[in-house]
Amino acid sequence: MTAHVALERAHIPPRRPALMLAAGRRFVAARAPVLRSSFGSAILLGLRFVQARLISVWGLLVAAILCPPFVFAAFAVFSALVNFVSIAALLRLEVVFFQSADPARLGRAFRLAAAAGLAFCGMAAILLVGLVLSGWVAPAIALLFLGSLSARAVLRLLWTEATAEGDFRAIGNSNVVQAIAQPAIMLILIGIFGPKALALFMADTLGHVLAALYLLRRRWRAIAPLIEPQLWSWRSLFVAAYHWRSVPLTLLPSALLAYGFAIAPVLALPYAANTALAAQVALSMRLLDMPTQMFGTVSAPIALNRLRAYAGPRRRFVARVMALGLIGAAAMLFGAIAVVATLVEPLFEGTNWDSLGRVLALLAPFYAGIAVLTPLQDMATLSRQPAWQVLINALALVAIIAAMIWFRALSPELLQVIGLISILRALVHTGFIWLHLGDAETAPAIASDRKVESTFRNNPMR
């Protein structure tokens, strides 16, 4: 009996459950404000993004009434091309902002990304001048392309810095500024110059410039200490570029491949024997693009900002929970869209958009995979093995092109296959995060960074 009592008191104290319950309450109470803040930030960011999209949609609808279809087609090409090029503007060096909460490291990464963006836009300007002199591009279009590219690069840099520091209000407000300014400028320019593509190009450039100026003004106090003149030196940039040399070699190709995958269904539209199906697919892609962008815009900043605060096993655990939560949220959102589209299908019978609901339901899995991949791919940039992203996205793009070659025409079966490929790609990324996500930087590298920072602090122009 004495032994029994001793073991009981040693291993299962009488007041242990109460202590555990109290500790659990303290744990939840300590983290509840953070959870509420993150959830509230996500809701506010989502509402601002929805507001911005609704405003821009109404402006585009009015402009669509005033402009002929070929003008909108030219604008779509311009926008897609400048978006694609802007992905490479910073060489994906902005993802380094989330690897550590150290202000010194953030400053080095910010200066390196800014220098890379400036050099990239300079090379783009030289290339555009060559195209203008050779007669391939009109001077006005080249100037607007360069302006839109530069504004997008600045926005990408400032958005990422604001995300790393948790200023989600600034991100949402910049979207609203662009959504209000760009359609208004577009309508004014159409009234002045007429329904021409150049008016839409100019509105796109000015809208992004105004959003960048707003964000720069909003984040200036936080950015100013990162770009002080005494912190700049060629050697510090070269050391930072050498330290993060793997980022452009792995993450940039991955981002470009992911963008190519997202627009892959457009490649199949010219091969559609049924022109009505091609039109339904094009409209469905336009409709599903909005919830896809909403999902990525809201979830990616919150996920990256939360992961930045953790390291080691805790970061790995939080990333796993987030990955599963993102998959569940995407499944519910796009599953609901597919169900609603199927239910409203009878409303389109006998019209030019017959079977639109079915096409929406077929494309919903494809866009669910794309939506969840945006935050998953950003989370995977914190891994020590970023090259796997390139392989996953390359294999997915090859698979979707092979499917198009196999079917040889746009069909419901092809839509089912590309949806399956998109879901599988998202699941493979999730498995990668589950197995390999950890600290992207090792302890020796961090020690080396601190030594370099100390050297440049003592002799900044060295």
Side-chain angles (χ1 to χ4, degrees), residues 425-437:
R425 182 181 65 150
L427 293 178
V428 172
H429 270 278
T430 304
F432 172 80
I433 290 173
W434 191 274
L435 297 175
H436 299 292
L437 188 66

Side-chain angles (χ1 to χ4, degrees), residues 396-412:
L397 185 58
V398 169
I400 200 172
I401 294 175
M404 293 177 182
I405 296 174
W406 176 268
F407 285 95
R408 297 184 178 180
L410 184 64
S411 64

